[in-house]
């Protein structure tokens, strides 16, 4: 039965292709894909990271839509509906576990992708816009993590969100308004869940989808960059079909890994949040916000006339702007190689984030 169906489909394929060719620029797309090459060198494996981030994003969208069917974005319904998904909906626990693990893996591959383009200096002209669109994507993806964390309305998530929404309060002028807009009032409560939900399932996905399209279009337009001073190892790899098939193989391995994690370590649901209960032991933000959280903890509460949150905000704004403008700042190196100061500063920041994150768990 199945081979027969496949056979019929294969016989139909040329007819479908002709139908498309008469209506769409299939030949132009074909020519473009066939002419695209992927540089072959000892860092070629790093080119998989952007694709893997994309894969986890697709998994997020599919599993997120399934979760939306049963999730209730209200203070009375949120925790109960998640418990229902886990206990009563067939495979609900698995879908939720995949969604939560994929969110974490997406942020991990995204950070590795960012580090790889930094070290390969792939942001050099003409790819400045790729770096800028990627940098904005980083914030959108962190926004997914932040807004999604509160949705199960369990106590750890509740306190983590409370801490997380304290920091932007000290941004000059817009800080307090921004926080009360996010929380839907002075404190986290009834109005917060619908706001986080709207951001999580509507505003952030649309913005991310649009920006990923721009990012990928630019990548097709410029092609992949060749790192400076890294010797070529044999001929470039044709993107289509060779590298694309390798990309899909990486997606397959990532999917098996994700499935293992989701089954062996199902994502837990804590006690329902209680606005009057004191913070539970070990309530802290997700690992990707720990560098900020830990920095806030080690800063003295007052330096001169500034409190620790204001100092962190100033550092974040200054640091963020520097990273955003990196392609325009890193132009002084001889023969186009990394400006040493930027390379060393970037490495110190990465090491600091790793060490301070680990310190939060020991
Ligand atoms: C949702 C987030 C993102 C997705 C889905 C994504 C996807 C991709 C893909 C598929 C590629 C081509 C293959 C590769 O080089 O890995 C790429 C390249 C690139 N990405 Fe991203 N990316 C994201 C975020 C970022 C971020 C945060 C940055 C940096 C701030 C960034 C900067 C770049 C640059 C500069 C390139 C060109 C690499 C080269 O030509 O060698 N991307 N991205």
């Amino acid at each position: 039965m199945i081979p027969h169906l496949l056979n019929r489909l294969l016989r139909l394929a040329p007819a479908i292709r002709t139908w498309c060719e008469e209506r769409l620029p299939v030949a132009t797309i074909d020519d473009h894909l066939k002419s695209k090459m992927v540089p072959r060198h000892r860092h070629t494996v790093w080119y998989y990271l952007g694709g893997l981030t994309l894969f986890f994003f697709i998994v997020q969208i599919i599993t997120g839509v399934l979760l939306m069917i049963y999730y209730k974005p209200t203070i009375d319904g949120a925790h109960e509906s998640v418990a229902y998904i886990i206990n009563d909906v067939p495979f609900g626990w698995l879908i939720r576990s995949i969604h939560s693990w994929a969110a974490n893996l997406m942020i991990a591959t995204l950070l590795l992708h960012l580090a790889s383009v930094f070290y390969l200096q792939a942001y050099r002209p003409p790819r400045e816009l790729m770096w800028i669109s990627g940098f904005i994507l980083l914030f959108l993806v962190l926004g997914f993590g932040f807004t999604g964390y509160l949705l199960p309305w369990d106590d750890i998530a509740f306190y983590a969100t409370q801490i997380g929404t304290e920091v932007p309060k000290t941004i000059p002028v817009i800080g307090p308004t921004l926080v009360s807009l996010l929380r839907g009032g002075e404190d986290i409560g009834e109005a917060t869940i619908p706001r986080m939900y709207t951001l999580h399932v509507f505003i952030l996905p649309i913005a991310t989808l649009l920006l990923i399209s721009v990012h990928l279009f630019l990548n097709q337009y410029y092609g992949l960059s060749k790192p400076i001073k890294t010797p070529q190892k044999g001929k470039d790899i044709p993107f289509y079909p060779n590298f694309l098939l390798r990309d899909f193989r990486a997606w397959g391995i990532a999917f098996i890994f994700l499935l293992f994690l989701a089954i062996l370590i199902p994502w837990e649901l804590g006690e329902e949040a209680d606005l009057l209960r004191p913070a539970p032991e070990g309530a802290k933000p997700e690992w990707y916000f720990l560098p900020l959280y830990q920095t806030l903890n080690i800063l003295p509460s007052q330096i001169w006339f500034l409190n620790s949150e204001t100092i962190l905000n100033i550092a974040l704004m200054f640091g963020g702007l520097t990273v955003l403008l990196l392609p325009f700042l890193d132009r002084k190196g001889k023969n186009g190689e990394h400006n040493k100061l930027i390379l060393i500063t970037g490495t110190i920041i990465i090491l600091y984030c790793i060490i301070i994150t680990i310190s939060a768990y020991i």
Side-chain angles (χ1 to χ4, degrees), residues 46-51 53-54 106 110 113-114 117 120 122-123 127 130-131 134-135 137-138 141 208 212 215-216 219 223-225:
W46 288 22
Y47 294 134
Y48 292 113
L49 290 166
T53 310
L54 180 64
M106 179 181 174
L110 175 62
H113 175 53
L114 190 149
V117 289
L120 295 180
Y123 50 76
R127 293 181 181 73
M130 288 214 69
W131 176 263
F135 184 73
L137 274 171
L138 172 70
V141 171
T208 309
I212 286 185
H215 197 69
L216 295 185
N219 182 246
L224 285 162
S225 67

Side-chain angles (χ1 to χ4, degrees), residues 259-276:
L259 215 56
F260 263 104
L261 278 178
I263 293 172
L264 297 180
I265 317 173
W267 205 260
E268 287 184 9
L269 175 67
E271 291 253 322
E272 184 167 5
D274 179 345
L275 306 184
L276 301 173

Side-chain angles (χ1 to χ4, degrees), residues 24-96:
L24 299 162
V26 176
T28 319
I29 298 172
D30 243 19
D31 287 348
H32 166 75
L33 286 177
K34 279 181 188 150
S35 67
K36 192 179 165 184
M37 302 300 268
V38 177
R40 193 197 294 263
H41 46 76
R42 70 190 148 98
H43 302 303
T44 296
V45 68
W46 288 22
Y47 294 134
Y48 292 113
L49 290 166
L52 281 172
T53 310
L54 180 64
F55 167 72
F56 287 122
F57 180 67
I58 296 170
V59 173
Q60 288 295 97
I61 297 284
I62 297 171
T63 49
V65 168
L66 293 176
L67 291 174
M68 271 173 80
I69 299 173
Y70 293 100
Y71 179 76
K72 291 195 188 123
T74 61
I75 197 161
D76 298 324
H79 189 271
E80 198 186 319
S81 62
V82 176
Y84 180 75
I85 291 172
I86 295 175
N87 301 320
D88 298 297
V89 176
F91 297 106
W93 67 273
L94 184 61
I95 301 292
R96 174 171 182 258

